[in-house]
Amino acid sequence: MKMCKIFSLKAMSVRGGILLSAVLLAGLAAALPAAAARLYEVSYTGCGGVEAPVINEAFELRVVELVNQERANNGNLPPLKRVATLTGAARFHATDLGVDNYFEHDSYDRSGENLKYVCGTFERMSVWYPNWRTAAENIAAGQQTPADVVADWMASPGHRRNILGQDFTEIGVGFFVGAGEYGTYWVQDFGARRDVYPLVINRDSPTTEDRAVDIYIYGAWNEMRLRNNSGTWSDWQPFVNGFTWTLDEGSGEHTITAEMRTGSKRYTTCDKIQLASTTAAPPPVDAANQLYLPAVINDPPADSSLTCE
């Protein structure tokens, strides 16, 4: 048996006024692969906060990739950025579903045959992901592969609405296998935080073989400047959300940092990607949508405490 559920919620004000959306069930075949015994050494009780072991990060990354492909194929929607906070929330819930053998958005603790309600979906998400303004969740159980679970979610109007939601900027995916009635459990947590503007490289792909990469930056600003790694900043230029950028030469991890400004308001954001080869960047196709690295200008430095995921 395979199962899917959706839950979606939007906070309408800074104080957290809430509108809530749909819950949906769809019946779909089960699997029972092996998993690590160490999962049972951790108590998955309460409303979260315990970091669940990583069972199959490749599966989680693939779900994010497929979600961003679906967003690109349906109106060229902006990509979602995978963040550690939502990933932690999703992994905890996927693990809790399997270990305590239930299938709900809200969190429960099991004692023998009984389940005790602990907290609501968004109470749990807030343990990892505070300051959110919009949040949603899809869960599923029994699917064997990332392609299977994303296909099932996309075939359901409610789940599809979350995957293609234009209010979200960030995502986390959790996968668990090895316990529970359905054997495999999948959780997608979606969100957007107040005053957080992610930068996303190549639709959040972890690697690239091409130095020319696509960038998307959330928000609306007057100007922006960028740099590779700890190099020099570009000149300030008019802000655009999507454009092409060229990585420095050399394989390995590369960081792109952007600083945006409107009047006195400034914000710094960044993302990382692994360059698998040193393929030469192609010549620009459309100069209006290309960015380069002009000479550095004297300006206040960007926030040096920035953490890049």
Side-chain angles (χ1 to χ4, degrees):
M1 181 185 296
K2 294 190 287 184
M3 300 291 287
C4 294
K5 271 195 177 183
I6 176 176
F7 197 23
S8 179
L9 171 149
K10 182 175 181 180
M12 300 298 293
S13 74
V14 173
R15 291 181 178 272
I18 291 172
L19 271 180
L20 155 47
S21 230
V23 177
L24 185 127
L25 278 164
L28 297 171
L32 193 60
R38 70 183 184 278
L39 291 166
Y40 300 96
E41 299 171 5
V42 178
S43 177
Y44 296 95
T45 60
C47 201
V50 175
E51 294 295 333
V54 180
I55 300 298
N56 191 330
E57 188 171 26
F59 269 20
E60 295 168 349
L61 289 169
R62 181 58 176 160
V63 169
V64 174
E65 182 180 13
L66 291 171
V67 163
N68 279 331
Q69 285 180 9
E70 293 291 351
R71 291 175 67 86
N73 294 339
N74 288 272
N76 196 30
L77 300 173
L80 302 178
K81 182 170 182 174
R82 179 178 183 254
V83 293
T85 48
L86 284 177
T87 299
R91 280 184 185 152
F92 175 88
H93 195 50
T95 304
D96 195 42
L97 293 177
V99 171
D100 277 353
N101 193 22
Y102 68 100
F103 190 68
E104 298 289 344
H105 286 284
D106 293 338
S107 292
Y108 291 80
D109 287 341
R110 178 172 291 281
S111 177
E113 297 298 316
N114 300 315
L115 284 172
K116 179 182 178 182
Y117 174 85
V118 176
C119 65
T121 307
F122 301 103
E123 292 176 76
R124 165 177 43 82
M125 286 179 63
S126 294
V127 172
W128 279 273
Y129 193 68
N131 194 40
W132 57 267
R133 58 178 175 81
T134 306
E137 180 173 88
N138 288 344
I139 64 176
Q143 293 82 2
Q144 295 298 287
T145 68
D148 289 342
V149 73
V150 172
D152 286 346
W153 278 328
M154 287 298 293
S156 158
H159 299 84
R160 177 188 179 93
R161 190 160 50 247
N162 277 349
I163 288 173
L164 303 181
Q166 297 187 51
D167 289 331
F168 309 128
T169 62
E170 298 173 320
I171 187 173
V173 174
F175 172 74
F176 172 79
V177 62
E181 179 181 356
Y182 300 106
T184 60
Y185 293 85
W186 308 77
V187 177
Q188 287 180 320
D189 283 338
F190 304 88
R193 289 175 285 177
R194 298 176 184 87
D195 300 318
V196 174
Y197 306 95
L199 183 158
V200 190
I201 304 174
N202 274 4
R203 293 195 164 269
D204 214 35
S205 174
T207 63
T208 181
E209 295 183 355
D210 196 330
R211 287 177 54 216
V213 293
D214 293 327
I215 304 295
Y216 189 90
I217 304 175
Y218 282 88
W221 304 87
N222 286 346
E223 294 180 297
M224 64 181 182
R225 62 177 184 170
L226 291 93
R227 70 176 180 183
N228 282 324
N229 303 311
S230 57
T232 57
W233 287 99
S234 70
D235 289 324
W236 288 101
Q237 51 202 289
F239 177 81
V240 291
N241 294 109
F243 53 90
T244 301
W245 180 259
T246 302
L247 299 173
D248 284 343
E249 294 183 349
S251 59
E253 185 178 83
H254 288 255
T255 300
I256 298 173
T257 304
E259 185 179 15
M260 296 85 72
R261 69 183 181 186
T262 297
S264 61
K265 182 180 179 181
R266 294 193 181 209
Y267 186 86
T268 305
T269 185
C270 64
D271 197 11
K272 295 180 179 180
I273 194 166
Q274 288 283 336
L275 179 59
S277 71
T278 54
T279 304
V285 176
D286 179 359
N289 292 317
Q290 300 285 330
L291 291 172
Y292 308 98
L293 284 170
V296 66
I297 58 175
N298 293 322
D299 216 7
D303 182 5
S304 60
S305 64
L306 182 67
T307 299
C308 199
E309 294 190 53

